Amino acid sequence: MRVIKVENYDEMSRVAANIISAQVVLKPTSVLGLATGSTPIGAYAQLVQWYKEGYLDFSQVITLNLDEYSGLAEGHVQSYRYFMDTQLFNHVNIEKANTHVPNSMAEDIAKECERYDALFEEADGIDLQLLGLGNNGHIGFNEPDDAFAGGTHQVKLHEMTIKANSILFSEEEEVPQYAITVGMKNIMKAKRVLLIVGSENKKEILEKALYGPITPLVPASILQLHPHLDVITV
Ligand code: GLP
């Protein structure tokens, strides 16, 4: 594990974007595992800027996002598909068909989870997995639980997560109660993992995740077992 300590959110975004862009430059056919939330917004903006300046080419890149809320209609402004389109995909030369987000509107959720896991197999795994950290230690939407979940699955979101994520909704009641998330297996199978933490108030949970016991009660603690984990933190 390598922990990169930075001064502030902007520096975190720039260092993260440097690592992601190095991955894409060195392997133009990279498979990127991508995250949503407020943390990666700055890194995505930096990637868009470098693309516009001609330094990056996403034409052969494949992306697999971590998660999606259940029950938000296609194109909903709070959906993670909308987030990814507007923060990154619409502004670079990535093929939309190569960008994947779980389809939470699928009629058969179990089938959708299987389909999503199969995409990881087809892509031959993730080259670089970007992760944010939930206030309760979740990664993707893998909430604290009695056991680590392996495959893509539907989860009931914890109160704390609903509260934290409600800042992007006009009312807390609007935050979906359920989501689909990639499980630990495909996160941990990524060749490299990049965990970014951009706010001081996550210090305690980050400490637990990186140095505490490996437990599903702190889902991110499983990352201690990853052979190539970089953490960028303020
Ligand atoms: C959200 C997402 C996670 C994200 C986390 C932290 O619920 N499902 O992928 O990393 O919570 O969000 P933020 O970066 O806004 O603090």
Side-chain angles (χ1 to χ4, degrees), residues 68 71-77 79 81-82 85 103-105:
E68 179 61 284
L72 296 185
E74 208 185 317
H76 192 289
V77 294
S79 71
R81 160 55 75 183
Y82 182 87
D85 284 349
N103 174 15
S104 60
M105 296 305 281

Side-chain angles (χ1 to χ4, degrees), residues 1-4 133 195 197 203-214 218 220-225 229-233:
M1 171 169 72
R2 185 166 59 138
V3 180
I4 305 167
L133 181 66
L195 175 67
V197 180
K203 265 202 162 125
E204 207 175 308
I205 190 68
L206 179 65
E207 193 78 8
K208 279 190 189 165
L210 299 185
Y211 307 110
I214 297 169
V218 182
S221 64
I222 200 171
L223 297 174
Q224 292 178 41
L225 298 174
L229 169 66
D230 288 330
V231 183
I232 310 174
T233 178

Side-chain angles (χ1 to χ4, degrees), residues 103-223:
N103 174 15
S104 60
M105 296 305 281
E107 266 180 37
D108 186 336
I109 293 296
K111 241 199 180 129
E112 170 59 11
C113 292
E114 270 175 39
R115 181 193 74 86
Y116 207 68
D117 276 337
L119 291 175
F120 285 79
E121 299 289 325
E122 275 166 40
D124 203 20
I126 298 282
D127 289 303
L128 176 63
Q129 175 68 59
L130 179 65
L131 293 175
L133 181 66
N135 291 323
N136 60 3
H138 72 229
I139 47 177
F141 267 133
N142 290 277
E143 295 278 41
D145 207 342
D146 295 337
F148 290 112
T152 298
H153 58 287
Q154 190 171 45
V155 281
K156 177 149 176 48
L157 300 178
H158 284 200
E159 275 311 310
M160 195 178 185
T161 301
I162 290 173
K163 214 173 190 59
N165 292 6
S166 67
I167 50 167
L168 296 172
F169 290 77
S170 47
E171 285 181 53
E172 199 174 311
E173 288 68 44
E174 286 177 19
V175 185
Q177 305 273 318
Y178 290 88
I180 294 181
T181 182
V182 170
M184 294 305 191
K185 202 177 71 186
N186 281 318
I187 293 175
M188 291 300 285
K189 272 166 70 179
K191 295 182 187 92
R192 296 181 62 185
V193 174
L194 178 58
L195 175 67
I196 55 175
V197 180
S199 80
E200 297 271 341
N201 58 20
K202 288 185 184 166
K203 265 202 162 125
E204 207 175 308
I205 190 68
L206 179 65
E207 193 78 8
K208 279 190 189 165
L210 299 185
Y211 307 110
I214 297 169
T215 164
L217 296 173
V218 182
S221 64
I222 200 171
L223 297 174

